[in-house]
Amino acid sequence: MTENYDNLNDLQIDVLKEIGNIGAGNAATTLSMMLSKKVDMSVPQVRIIDIQEIANILGGPENQVVGILFTLSKDIEGMMMFILKQEFAHLVVNQLMGRDLESFNDFEEMDLSALKEIGNIMAASYVNAISSLTNFGIGISVPGIAIDMAGAILSVPAIQFGKIGDKVLFIEEEFIGGDGENVNSYLILIPEIDSLHKILKILGVEL
Amino acid sequence: MSKPIIIGISDLNIALPPDVLITYALGSCVGICLYDKAVKVAGLAHVMLPLSSEAKDISNLMKFADTATLELIKRMEKAGASRRRLVAKLAGGAQMFALQEGNEALNIGKRNVIAAKKILKSLNIKIIAEDTGLNYGRTIELSPETGVLKVKAIAHGIKEI
């Protein structure tokens, strides 16, 4: 029995990647609608990655980023976290709230709410992808938000998963706005190991 | 020349002057700092989880507050430190997301701090300073020359404890 992500075979990883791809497609569509502008996306990169490497992708452990955290319940238990770099957060807030911000320091409560809302919609996009493929019912918690050092934010999923391994499912998506603004979003998906088994089993790739 | 020795996550190391020990962006993890002033040997462990006994995979003993502390002391003793003279400082153990509130499993920062204090107490090592809890990330730097621990946070500047 697979105990953690380190032991997944190629076929199982492909299945997880496909879930990531479908979720990313849904996310781009909903983001387009939210921002009322055309948002294209590149082919998302879906990787099984050591959680410690993620801080480097985000610009180093001390780089300030936005983390939006959800817990999953019902048929699938686990955690999902969106990480937005500063540019993405500003694009969303400026577009949605009609603001012209350049620094995290200028964020107000309403701006954080807008970010949480985007997080909600993106989370639902991925959860729907898993649901529609597996027919599982999945509950999503209200979002929690933190703007802080990337390493400190990542410590939360790292710890949650650290009891069973160091690798997580990491989805990097590049969104291409109409006016040439490219921003990346990052998603970490961490089903509990029993839930991961359930997903792989129903999709016919259990070990 | 002073050289920074970087401690990763679930990692530990010791240093002698003029080098310094640094670990970046402690969130819910805890930095356990030990110091023997007489021989100027400092040690720092960046631990992720409270107790090795609660985990399935214990291949990395530096991941847990209890086993990492014991390993750190062992290495410091090899460098000439004496367990009787050690004092401790703690940093980190934040609750990064309000969502973690009331969720025992998610409020691991607090549990990490409690576990670190427990193991130190059982070893008769006194905690002389701490900057723990709250809701923000911290980068820390420990000087073997002075025993001073610098704590840096984005919205709270740098303080020395």
Side-chain angles (χ1 to χ4, degrees):
Chain A
M1 187 157 145
T2 308
E3 284 303 327
N4 60 42
Y5 282 87
D6 306 15
N7 304 332
L8 291 175
N9 64 34
D10 288 348
L11 186 60
Q12 290 166 327
I13 289 173
D14 281 345
V15 165
L16 292 175
K17 283 185 173 179
E18 190 48 31
I19 291 175
N21 283 335
I22 296 170
N26 292 350
T29 310
T30 36
L31 194 62
S32 248
M33 279 160 58
M34 277 294 281
L35 298 179
S36 0
K37 65 196 260 183
K38 191 169 168 356
V39 178
D40 285 323
M41 58 154 206
S42 61
V43 177
Q45 290 196 39
V46 184
R47 283 179 278 180
I48 308 288
I49 186 174
D50 194 314
I51 201 159
Q52 299 204 24
E53 276 177 46
I54 298 176
N56 294 329
I57 296 172
L58 295 172
E62 289 190 294
N63 194 29
Q64 199 176 13
V65 297
V66 183
I68 307 172
L69 178 74
F70 302 86
T71 51
L72 306 179
S73 57
K74 290 200 249 175
D75 289 343
I76 299 296
E77 295 190 347
M79 198 182 254
M80 186 183 256
M81 183 188 262
F82 276 98
I83 302 171
L84 311 177
K85 281 197 197 167
Q86 199 152 342
E87 308 87 73
F88 194 124
H90 290 144
L91 176 79
V92 164
V93 168
N94 289 347
Q95 183 78 23
L96 269 184
M97 309 300 291
R99 289 167 62 86
D100 192 19
L101 303 178
E102 282 175 5
S103 159
F104 277 135
N105 299 333
D106 303 328
F107 275 15
E108 291 172 15
E109 202 55 42
M110 280 303 290
D111 303 322
L112 296 181
S113 296
L115 284 175
K116 282 190 198 173
E117 195 45 40
I118 289 288
N120 258 333
I121 285 165
M122 305 271 282
S125 303
Y126 284 90
V127 164
N128 286 342
I130 303 173
S131 278
S132 62
L133 285 172
T134 59
N135 282 322
F136 288 142
I138 307 171
I140 315 177
S141 72
V142 295
I145 192 165
I147 302 181
D148 210 311
M149 299 177 187
I153 283 175
L154 286 168
S155 76
V156 177
I159 285 171
Q160 184 68 11
F161 205 61
K163 282 167 260 180
I164 41 178
D166 297 313
K167 290 206 165 69
V168 295
L169 183 65
F170 182 69
I171 302 165
E172 182 174 358
E173 231 183 315
E174 186 182 20
F175 295 98
I176 303 150
D179 32 13
E181 287 171 295
N182 293 10
V183 287
N184 288 26
S185 81
Y186 305 88
L187 172 73
I188 300 171
L189 194 54
I190 313 176
E192 295 286 343
I193 206 72
D194 292 346
S195 297
L196 178 63
H197 277 289
K198 273 166 86 176
I199 293 172
L200 292 174
K201 190 174 178 192
I202 203 157
L203 297 175
V205 289
E206 175 78 336
L207 268 180
Chain B
M1 257 279 282
S2 165
K3 180 174 80 211
I5 297 173
I6 311 295
I7 317 290
I9 303 167
S10 306
D11 185 19
L12 57 83
N13 213 335
I14 64 161
L16 299 161
D19 298 341
V20 291
L21 292 162
I22 296 178
T23 197
Y24 293 116
L26 289 163
S28 296
C29 298
V30 171
I32 301 171
C33 306
L34 298 179
Y35 186 53
D36 181 341
K37 196 176 174 183
V39 289
K40 294 189 174 175
V41 174
L44 171 55
H46 181 148
V47 305
M48 250 169 85
L49 292 165
L51 299 169
S52 53
S53 54
E54 291 172 359
K56 275 186 196 163
D57 174 6
I58 52 164
S59 54
N60 183 0
L61 294 177
M62 299 186 285
K63 201 183 256 187
F64 309 97
D66 55 350
T67 44
T69 303
L70 294 173
E71 174 64 22
L72 188 61
I73 292 172
K74 211 189 286 173
R75 292 210 203 167
M76 290 177 75
E77 282 176 336
K78 264 189 202 155
S82 158
R83 187 178 297 208
R84 284 179 301 107
R85 289 194 300 257
L86 290 182
V87 291
K89 294 182 181 180
L90 298 178
Q95 183 186 313
M96 297 302 298
F97 291 87
L99 191 62
Q100 293 167 267
E101 225 163 292
N103 182 329
E104 181 63 15
L106 285 176
N107 197 354
I108 197 99
K110 196 172 166 189
R111 286 170 51 211
N112 276 335
V113 174
I114 291 170
K117 286 183 176 172
K118 201 171 148 198
I119 178 84
L120 290 168
K121 191 170 183 213
S122 75
L123 297 165
N124 279 320
I125 297 173
K126 200 175 165 197
I127 299 166
I128 57 169
E130 65 173 299
D131 182 38
T132 58
L134 301 173
N135 63 349
Y136 54 85
R138 299 164 171 95
T139 285
I140 59 171
E141 181 181 321
L142 178 63
S143 157
E145 181 61 47
T146 61
V148 166
L149 182 66
K150 260 191 220 167
V151 183
K152 190 169 96 184
I154 288 180
H156 305 268
I158 298 176
K159 61 177 156 184
E160 296 190 345
I161 64 170

